[in-house]
């Protein structure tokens, strides 16, 4: 270290701290030969030597060990720690201290050991492979020596290929496992989405595929059954008519509001309609006289309060707040005695609501079990309840010869599958007819009017 002009300049040592020679005094590094020779790698050597020290002390580097091997929570303590720690001795030689430090890495022995002389039994396939590599003569059937060039021409058993060995292990229909990139970024394949474990509605439905028809649908039904079915069909049709009337009334209200909005003159923009002047001059003059008779008193500006007035107002406000707090505290203390009764009343109310909710849930489950999902909305569409098939008295045929088939079996099966939650509700989609739109263009020559 040299001192020049009050500043310190540090010179690097010509030798490395590890003993390896180094040259840092070269003036120029323009040539390729001097690049590799005079590069300072002392920090790299120190890091490598630290890793070697860790291997000698622990048997491996600390980066490869788990957290459980490096850290431990000591809640009891070790009573024998004093006996295991090395004792300081000033008379012990340095050479003995160095020799006492044993490395955790096992030593390499040049002589043979019991484990190295132990022979390993070769399998038949391994032995055949080694013979082929060494090109030793192989014996075929009847102790015949085979030609090495004809091993794979069908004269002997050929080694199984890798495809044959891996046969039966690959499932082409199995889901692809996500492959993690080496740098720990996002997966190559999207993770498989787990299906939610929600109960399916069909598990609670106990509706047969083909329902037993009502007695009133017979070609020669009893009078009571026929009248009951007619009344049921009448109620269904009445509900439908009421729904149509409700929608028509709603549409009529909307049309009325639109007409009120469009009453304004089309030539005037909305909100810019000019009021028409009154034609009655007498009414105008009387209005002017009334306006003159009404005298609006001038607004008096509030005077500035003095300091005493402001303090008085602040004191009054403070007193009001104090009284309000006392009243609230008094109400709170009075309600403490009613806390038990309020809690019991709230508990009874919550219990009643829970019972009602439970009863509604049971009624819904019973309805679904008996009738299926008819009349409920599932997704975007509502599952229809089905039409009531009934004939009027004059349309009934009293014999099978004059019976006319009605209904559609396909429609009945499709509706039954929807009500039993086997398929989702759908409506008929009528394809729209494609209409060619004519686009007219006016040529530039016809745009000029001369």
């Amino acid at each position: 270290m040299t001192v020049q002009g009050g500043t310190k300049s540090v010179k690097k040592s010509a030798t490395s701290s590890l003993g390896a020679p180094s040259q840092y005094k070269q003036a120029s590094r323009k040539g390729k030969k001097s690049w590799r020779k005079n590069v300072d790698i002392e920090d790299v050597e120190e890091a490598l030597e630290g890793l070697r020290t860790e291997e000698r002390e622990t048997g491996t580097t600390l980066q490869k060990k788990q957290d459980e091997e490096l850290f431990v929570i000591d809640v009891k303590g070790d009573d024998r720690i004093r006996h295991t720690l090395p004792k300081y001795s000033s008379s012990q030689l340095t050479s003995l201290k160095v020799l006492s430090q044993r490395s955790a890495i096992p030593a390499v022995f040049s002589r043979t050991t019991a484990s190295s002389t132990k022979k390993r039994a070769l399998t038949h396939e391994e032995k055949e492979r080694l013979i082929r590599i060494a090109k030793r003569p192989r014996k075929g059937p009847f102790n015949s020596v085979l030609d090495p060039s004809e091993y794979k021409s069908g004269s002997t058993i050929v080694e199984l290929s890798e495809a044959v060995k891996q046969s039966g292990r690959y499932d082409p229909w199995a889901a692809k496992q996500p492959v993690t990139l080496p740098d720990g970024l996002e997966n190559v394949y999207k993770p498989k989405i787990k299906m939610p474990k929600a109960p399916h509605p069909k598990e609670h439905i106990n509706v047969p595929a083909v329902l037993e028809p009502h007695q009133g649908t017979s070609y020669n039904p009893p009078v009571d059954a026929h009248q009951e079915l007619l009344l049921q069909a009448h109620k269904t049709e009445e509900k439908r008519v009421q729904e149509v009337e409700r929608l028509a009334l709603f549409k009529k209200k909307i049309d009325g509001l639109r007409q009120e909005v469009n009453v304004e003159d089309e030539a005037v923009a909305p909100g810019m309609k000019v009021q028409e002047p009154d034609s009655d001059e007498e009414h105008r003059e009387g209005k002017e006289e009334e306006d003159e008779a009404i005298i609006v008193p001038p607004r008096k500006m509030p005077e500035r309060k003095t300091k005493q007035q402001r303090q008085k107002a602040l004191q009054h406000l403070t007193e009001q707040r104090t009284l309000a707090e006392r009243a609230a505290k008094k109400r709170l203390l009075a309600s403490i005695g009613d806390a038990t009764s309020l809690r019991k009343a709230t508990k009874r109310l919550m219990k009643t609501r829970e019972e009602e909710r439970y009863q509604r849930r049971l009624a819904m489950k019973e309805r679904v079990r008996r009738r299926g999902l008819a009349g409920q909305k599932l997704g975007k569409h509502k599952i229809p309840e089905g039409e009531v098939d009934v004939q009027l008295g004059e349309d009934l045929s009293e014999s099978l010869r004059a019976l006319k088939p009605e209904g559609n079996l396909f429609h009945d099966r499709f509706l039954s599958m929807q009500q039993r939650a086997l398929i989702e509700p759908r409506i008929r989609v009528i394809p729209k007819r494609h209409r060619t739109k004519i686009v007219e263009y006016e040529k530039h020559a016809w745009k000029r009017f001369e």
Side-chain angles (χ1 to χ4, degrees):
M1 180 182 298
T2 59
V3 180
Q4 298 178 358
T7 59
K8 297 181 180 181
S9 61
V10 181
K11 292 185 178 181
K12 293 184 179 181
S13 175
T15 58
S16 174
S17 60
L18 301 177
S22 60
Q23 300 175 4
Y24 303 117
K25 298 181 180 180
Q26 187 172 357
S28 175
R29 291 190 181 182
K30 294 183 179 179
K32 293 184 178 180
K33 294 182 179 180
S34 60
W35 287 358
R36 302 166 186 161
K37 184 177 180 181
N38 300 294
V39 174
D40 186 10
I41 58 171
E42 187 172 354
D43 52 348
V44 180
E45 292 177 353
E46 290 179 358
L48 293 176
E49 187 63 25
L51 293 177
R52 298 189 193 100
T53 305
E54 293 177 1
E55 290 181 356
R56 287 194 298 269
E57 292 178 356
T58 61
T60 179
T61 57
L62 299 180
Q63 298 176 356
K64 297 180 181 179
K65 287 194 173 185
Q66 302 293 334
D67 294 344
E68 293 79 6
E69 300 176 2
L70 296 176
F71 307 100
V72 65
I73 300 176
D74 190 2
V75 296
K76 184 180 179 182
D78 193 357
D79 298 337
R80 303 184 60 187
I81 190 66
R82 296 179 179 274
H83 303 284
T84 57
L85 291 176
K87 296 182 179 180
Y88 174 75
S89 176
S90 59
S91 61
Q92 188 178 7
L93 299 178
T94 306
S95 59
L96 296 178
K97 292 181 181 179
V98 174
L99 292 176
S100 62
Q101 297 177 356
R102 307 298 299 175
S103 175
I105 303 176
V108 180
F109 296 95
S110 59
R111 62 181 182 273
T112 58
T113 58
S115 59
S116 62
T117 56
K118 186 178 180 180
K119 294 183 179 180
R120 183 172 59 89
L122 294 176
T123 59
H124 180 71
E125 292 79 7
E126 187 70 15
K127 186 175 181 180
E128 292 289 338
R129 188 181 66 83
L130 293 176
I131 291 176
R132 286 197 301 271
I133 293 175
K135 296 183 180 180
R136 295 287 184 88
R138 296 175 59 189
K139 291 185 178 181
F142 306 106
N143 293 329
S144 60
V145 179
L146 302 178
D147 188 3
S149 61
E150 297 182 358
Y151 282 165
K152 294 186 179 181
S153 62
S155 58
T156 184
I157 299 175
V158 183
E159 184 181 4
L160 297 178
S161 62
E162 192 67 21
V164 177
K165 292 179 180 179
Q166 299 295 335
S167 62
R169 301 180 183 179
Y170 175 71
D171 186 6
W173 307 110
K176 295 183 179 180
Q177 298 293 334
V179 181
T180 307
L181 296 177
D183 52 356
L185 297 179
E186 58 185 4
N187 297 334
V188 178
Y189 301 103
K190 293 183 179 180
K192 186 179 179 181
I193 301 175
K194 295 183 179 180
M195 185 177 62
K197 298 180 180 179
H200 201 277
K202 68 179 182 179
E203 298 176 0
H204 307 286
I205 298 175
N206 189 15
V207 179
V210 180
L211 296 176
E212 183 179 354
H214 196 273
Q215 293 183 2
T217 58
S218 176
Y219 66 94
N220 190 11
V223 179
D224 299 338
H226 188 251
Q227 292 296 329
E228 181 184 355
L229 193 60
L230 282 175
L231 183 60
Q232 184 178 354
H234 173 70
K235 291 181 179 180
T236 305
E237 189 66 24
E238 188 177 2
K239 288 182 180 179
R240 186 179 303 169
V241 172
Q242 290 178 359
E243 184 68 19
V244 172
E245 291 178 354
R246 188 182 64 84
L247 293 177
L249 182 61
F250 183 71
K251 185 177 179 182
K252 185 178 180 181
K253 289 182 179 180
I254 294 177
D255 294 340
L257 293 176
R258 286 179 180 175
Q259 291 178 2
E260 291 180 2
V261 173
N262 297 330
V263 166
E264 298 181 356
D265 192 4
E266 298 180 356
V268 182
M272 299 296 292
K273 186 176 180 180
V274 181
Q275 296 182 357
E276 297 180 358
D278 297 335
S279 59
D280 193 356
E281 297 180 358
E282 296 179 357
H283 178 70
R284 188 188 312 162
E285 292 176 357
K287 190 175 182 180
E288 290 177 358
E289 291 177 359
E290 290 179 359
D291 294 342
E292 291 177 357
I294 299 174
I295 301 175
V296 181
R299 186 177 180 184
K300 187 178 181 180
M301 296 298 294
E303 296 180 357
R304 183 178 179 83
K305 293 182 180 181
T306 61
K307 185 176 181 180
Q308 185 178 3
Q309 291 176 348
R310 288 197 299 270
Q311 290 180 356
K312 189 176 181 179
L314 180 61
Q315 185 179 1
H316 179 66
L317 180 61
T318 307
E319 291 177 357
Q320 287 183 347
R321 289 179 179 175
T322 305
L323 292 175
E325 290 178 0
R326 288 180 182 176
K329 189 175 182 180
K330 188 176 181 180
R331 289 194 299 270
L332 180 61
L333 292 176
S335 63
I336 290 177
D338 302 334
T340 305
S341 59
L342 291 175
R343 183 171 63 253
K344 291 181 179 179
T346 306
K347 191 174 182 180
R348 286 195 301 268
L349 180 61
M350 296 300 294
K351 186 177 181 180
T352 305
R353 290 182 179 178
E354 188 66 28
E355 289 179 357
E356 292 176 357
R357 192 182 300 110
Y358 181 70
Q359 294 296 332
R360 287 196 301 268
R361 194 182 300 113
L362 286 181
M364 179 61 70
K365 285 186 178 180
E366 185 66 20
R367 181 177 179 275
V368 169
R369 189 182 67 83
R370 291 184 177 182
R371 297 184 53 190
L373 299 179
Q376 298 186 16
K377 186 176 181 182
L378 190 65
K380 297 192 300 181
H381 308 294
K382 184 178 180 181
I383 300 176
E385 297 184 5
E387 300 292 340
V388 180
D389 297 331
V390 62
Q391 292 181 346
L392 299 178
E394 58 270 13
D395 296 336
L396 290 175
S397 59
E398 299 181 358
S399 62
L400 288 174
R401 294 178 181 272
L403 181 64
K404 296 180 180 180
E406 293 184 1
N408 190 342
L409 291 178
F410 176 78
H411 181 268
D412 295 343
R413 294 300 95 227
F414 189 76
L415 184 60
S416 176
M417 294 177 71
Q418 287 182 350
Q419 294 177 354
R420 289 182 291 144
L422 298 180
I423 58 176
E424 58 181 343
R426 294 291 185 91
I427 59 174
R428 185 179 180 183
V429 180
I430 301 176
K432 295 183 179 179
R433 184 178 180 183
H434 180 69
R435 296 182 179 180
T436 305
K437 185 178 180 180
I438 300 176
V439 182
E440 297 181 356
Y441 295 95
E442 188 176 0
K443 293 184 177 180
H444 188 73
W446 298 98
K447 292 181 181 179
R448 297 179 180 179
F449 302 98
E450 296 179 355

